Amino acid sequence: MVLGVASAAAAATGGTGVSLFEYNRQNFLYDRKMRQETEYQIMDFRIKQAELWREDVKDIIGLTSVKMDTYLIVNAVQLGFCVMAFCEGRLAAGTPTWLIGCHSLCLGGAF
């Protein structure tokens, strides 16, 4: 009789233990799934953030290129003026040599 009660108690305890284990395992698997999805979402955010940084760098480099194109046009016009001043920009007769030297130095520096 005692053996029958003990075996019945052991069977009931074993069944309860299995059901508790299954319940805890389901919670654990659910938590792992949610944690994994969260980590994937964080990785996606970081990838998008890096893409935005790359796009910003690309825009800055492109802006620098556009500014250099504009500067190139302006400098070509200024260079043309300097060449015209060298070729056609004569100083009046009797101009002191130091002034001619300064004039030539300024045009050479601007060239």
Side-chain angles (χ1 to χ4, degrees):
M1 180 75 157
V2 174
L3 187 59
V5 172
S7 66
T13 305
T16 304
V18 168
S19 68
L20 284 177
F21 175 75
E22 285 297 320
Y23 174 75
N24 193 19
R25 185 171 188 275
Q26 288 174 356
N27 283 341
F28 174 77
L29 292 177
Y30 177 76
D31 288 344
R32 291 305 289 163
K33 179 183 173 194
M34 295 306 282
R35 183 175 295 172
Q36 187 176 21
E37 289 176 4
T38 302
E39 289 177 3
Y40 286 157
Q41 191 69 31
I42 290 171
M43 287 174 25
D44 285 340
F45 287 148
R46 289 181 180 167
I47 289 170
K48 289 178 184 176
Q49 185 180 28
E51 289 173 359
L52 287 174
W53 287 337
R54 289 182 187 137
E55 186 178 333
D56 289 344
V57 169
K58 189 185 300 182
D59 290 343
I60 290 171
I61 290 172
L63 179 64
T64 303
S65 175
V66 169
K67 284 172 48 177
M68 286 300 133
D69 289 343
T70 305
Y71 291 155
L72 181 66
I73 293 169
V74 171
N75 286 336
V77 171
Q78 287 180 349
L79 184 63
F81 289 144
C82 287
V83 168
M84 282 185 357
F86 264 132
C87 297
E88 299 173 6
R90 305 269 189 248
L91 293 175
T95 305
T97 56
W98 63 270
L99 188 58
I100 293 174
C102 287
H103 180 259
S104 298
L105 183 66
C106 286
L107 283 177
F111 187 71

